[in-house]
Amino acid sequence: MPAAVSAPRPSSVPSASNPSASNPSAPPSPSVPASAAVAPQVPRLARVPAGLFAIPFGLFGLGGAWRRAAGFGWTGAEPIGVAIATAGAALLAVLAVLYAAKALRHPRALGAELSHPVPCSVTALLPLSMLMAAMHFGAPRDAATLAAVLVALAIQGAIAVRAVAMIANGATATGAVSPALYLPPVGGGFVGGMVLAAIGWPGWAALLFGMGLVAWMLLEFRVMHRLFDGPMPEALRPTIGIELAPPAIGTLAAATIWPALPGEVLIVGLGLACGPVVTVAARWRWWTRVPFQIGFWSFLFPLAALAGACVEVVRRGGWPPEVAAVPLAIASGVAAFLVARTLRLAATGRLLPAGPPAVPRG
C-alpha cells in the first residue's frame, strides 16, 4: 500500500496574514472578517456633491458686486466683474455636466440626497446658479433668456416644494435644521425676483420677491431657534454662512426691482443684515474648528450680496464711494481665500467627500 501523505499544518506555512508563523514571538493578529477587509468604494461620480454649485453661485454674486461698483467710475471694475462672472459660468457648465452624469449613472445617489431636507435644499444651488448666469449674460426681454430663467425657476420650485414638504410635516429632526433650508424657497424668491427684474419683468419679479419674503419669515424663527439652542453638528456647521443671506440678498433684490427706491430705505435692509452677521460672528469658535470643506463657500454669495447692497446704498444716498469699497474688498478677500483652500483640497485629493453626505438624522 502506498504511504499516506499528510498535509502540512497551517502554522508551518508563513504568510503575510499570519506573521506569527515565521516569528513565534510576534503576538497573534486578530481575525478580520472578509466583509470588513475591503471597504466598499463609492464611485467618484456618485460622490459629486451639489454643494459644489456654491462656487459658481458665489462667483456670480461677486462679479455682480464689481459690475455695480463700475457705476462709480472705478477703472477696471466692469472688466473684473465680467471676468469673475465668466469664470463662474465656465465652472457652472462643467459642474452641470458632471451632476447630470451623476443623475443618469447613479440615480440612487441623487435620490439619497433628495430624501433629506438639508442635501435636498443644497441642490437648489444649481438652479440658483442658472438664474445668476442668465442675469449676467442674458438680454432683457429676450425669448431665449426668459426660457432659461423659467426652466431654472421650475427646477427651483420643484426642489422648494420637496424640501418644504419634508420640513412642514413636523417630523424633521432637530439636527437637520440649518440655514441651508433657506436656499429653495427664500433664495428662489429673492434671486428669482432680482433676475426677472434685470431682464425686464418687474411685475413678476415683485411677486417672487413677496414669496421669498414670506418664506424667510416662516423659516427664520425655526432656524434662529436652532442656532441659539446649541452648536450645530459638525457636518452642518459650514452652512452657517447661509444665515447671512436672506437680508443681504433681499435688500439687493429690492434695489434691483425698484430702481427708484431711496438709499435711506435700503439702509433698513442693511440694518436687518447686521443681526445675522453678529450671530454668525459670535459663534466663530465652533464653525472655525471644522476642517475646511466646500460648504464654507456658503459665505461668499451673502457677503457679495451685502457688498452689492452697500454699493446701491452709497450710490443712492450720495455717500463717498470708499464706503462701498470696504465690503467689496472683504468679499473679494474671502473669495481669494476660498479659491486657495479649494485648490489645496483638489491637489490633495480631498475635494470630493469619501462617501455619501453625513447628515445627522436626529
Side-chain angles (χ1 to χ4, degrees), residues 235-293:
L236 300 182
R237 290 183 189 181
T239 64
I240 189 65
I242 306 175
E243 176 61 30
L244 307 174
I249 300 176
T251 303
L252 188 61
T256 305
I257 298 171
W258 296 285
L261 206 62
E264 288 76 9
V265 176
L266 296 178
I267 291 178
V268 176
L270 295 182
L272 292 174
C274 291
V277 170
V278 173
T279 302
V280 172
R283 299 198 165 206
W284 67 272
R285 289 185 179 274
W286 58 262
W287 56 260
T288 54
R289 291 176 181 173
V290 180
F292 181 82
Q293 53 186 277

Side-chain angles (χ1 to χ4, degrees), residues 168-201:
N169 58 11
T172 304
T174 303
V177 177
S178 83
L181 302 179
Y182 289 130
L183 289 173
V186 183
F190 286 165
V191 176
M194 181 168 57
V195 173
L196 282 177
I199 65 173
W201 301 90

Side-chain angles (χ1 to χ4, degrees), residues 121 124 156 159-160 163-164 167 180-190 208 211-213 215-216 219:
S121 298
Q156 184 79 17
I159 295 173
V164 170
I167 64 178
L181 302 179
Y182 289 130
L183 289 173
V186 183
F190 286 165
L208 279 182
M211 295 171 64
L213 192 62
W216 178 26
L219 289 173

Side-chain angles (χ1 to χ4, degrees), residues 1-100:
M1 294 179 62
V5 179
S6 60
R9 289 177 297 178
S11 59
S12 63
V13 180
S15 64
S17 60
N18 188 16
S20 60
S22 58
N23 185 9
S25 63
S29 59
S31 59
V32 180
S35 59
V38 179
Q41 295 294 324
V42 180
R44 182 174 299 181
L45 187 60
R47 292 186 281 118
V48 175
L52 286 173
F53 288 102
I55 302 177
F57 187 50
L59 293 177
F60 283 134
L62 184 61
W66 274 98
R67 296 182 72 177
R68 288 178 184 272
F72 292 131
W74 292 351
T75 304
E78 177 70 17
I80 291 175
V82 172
I84 295 174
T86 302
L91 185 57
L92 173 60
V94 173
L95 293 178
V97 171
L98 290 176
Y99 208 70

Side-chain angles (χ1 to χ4, degrees), residues 1 27 31 112 115 166 183 199 230 238 252 261 297 301 306 311 342:
M1 294 179 62
S31 59
S115 64
M166 284 188 282
L183 289 173
I199 65 173
L252 188 61
L261 206 62
W297 277 87
F301 192 90
L306 191 61
V311 170
T342 302

